């Protein structure tokens, strides 16, 4: 049985959504070989909940604190101060500034004012990652070129990952050349996602991470259901079909890469 690290989840939201005990969610994941899970925040009010969840399973759970661009209307300037305080007093299991990034697929978040606010919050959080020597785990929807220009300008020593990547090979390769990993999730389980599948097939294996984005980004065959960490197995299976390496090599390389990044 292979060991998997689900490097991007909202396990707190999955638990709220399904009402299942955390112990049950963890058991389901472990049966599928998911040994480690990163939980990422989207709002400042999530921070304490995620910290408490992680403390219950310190060998399996890690967490990232950050302010997600989809909620840019709700974020206040003081949330950045509270994020800084939380990072300054973080536990060893806080291994990322996440989920941060840029969102250009929602028209109402692209007014001049809100786009500027997105950029300001993203930049501030990149500087926090730099200051606290943490990697970042990033949301990028229709914003790869803009995201890249920030990462090129602001060097985050620990780098990090572009999560749930759905873009061209050239866009992915630019991130990889900067030292960032590419999060591979449910998108590749859909045959129509040809561009993303071809991209993931060609990238260097040691640049890839596995993720579910639970409860979002459902894998093929489970549409309309909340996504779960154990479905990393399905993503892995499709990845093995797309790649030339053996399943053993794919699993081991991605496991080691994930540990280096987020454990």
């Amino acid at each position: 049985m292979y060991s998997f690290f689900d490097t991007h989840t909202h396990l707190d939201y999955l638990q709220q959504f399904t009402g299942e005990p955390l112990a049950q969610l963890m058991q389901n994941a472990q049966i599928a070989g998911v040994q480690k899970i990163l939980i990422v925040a989207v709002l400042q009010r999530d921070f304490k909940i995620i910290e408490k969840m992680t403390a219950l399973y310190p060998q399996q759970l890690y967490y990232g604190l950050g302010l997600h661009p989809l909620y840019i209307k709700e974020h206040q300037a003081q949330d950045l101060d509270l994020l800084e305080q939380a990072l300054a007093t973080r536990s060893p299991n806080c291994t990322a500034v996440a989920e941060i990034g840029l969102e250009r697929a929602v028209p109402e978040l692209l007014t001049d004012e809100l786009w500027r606010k997105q950029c300001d919050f993203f930049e501030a959080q990149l500087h926090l990652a730099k200051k606290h020597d943490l990697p970042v785990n990033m949301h990028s929807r229709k914003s790869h070129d803009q995201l890249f220009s920030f990462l090129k300008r602001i060097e985050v020593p620990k780098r990090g990952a572009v999560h749930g990547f759905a873009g061209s090979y050239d866009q992915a390769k630019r991130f990889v050349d900067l030292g960032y990993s590419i999060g591979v999730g449910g998108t590749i389980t859909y045959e129509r996602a040809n561009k993303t599948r071809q991209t993931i097939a060609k990238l260097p294996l040691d640049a890839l991470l596995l993720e579910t984005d639970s409860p979002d980004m459902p894998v093929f065959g489970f549409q309309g259901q909340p996504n779960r960490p154990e479905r990393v197995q399905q993503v892995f299976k499709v990845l093995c079909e797309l790649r030339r390496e053996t399943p053993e090599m794919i699993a081991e390389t991605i496991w080691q890469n994930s540990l280096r990044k987020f454990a």
Side-chain angles (χ1 to χ4, degrees), residues 217-234:
M217 273 176 60
V219 298
F220 180 74
F222 296 93
Q223 296 95 314
Q225 299 176 34
N227 202 5
R228 299 166 170 279
E230 57 266 28
R231 303 220 172 109
V232 151
Q233 271 193 330
Q234 275 89 357

Side-chain angles (χ1 to χ4, degrees), residues 26 36 53-62 91-93:
M26 296 302 292
K36 294 184 184 290
M53 285 176 82
T54 306
L56 296 171
Y57 291 90
Q59 298 304 308
Q60 287 98 24
L61 294 179
Y62 299 85
S91 84
N93 282 52

Side-chain angles (χ1 to χ4, degrees), residues 185-205:
T187 304
I188 68 161
T189 64
Y190 294 86
E191 285 189 3
R192 66 171 186 270
N194 202 27
K195 182 174 71 168
T196 303
R197 284 159 66 99
Q198 287 180 356
T199 295
I200 298 305
K202 286 199 312 196
L203 286 170
L205 183 60

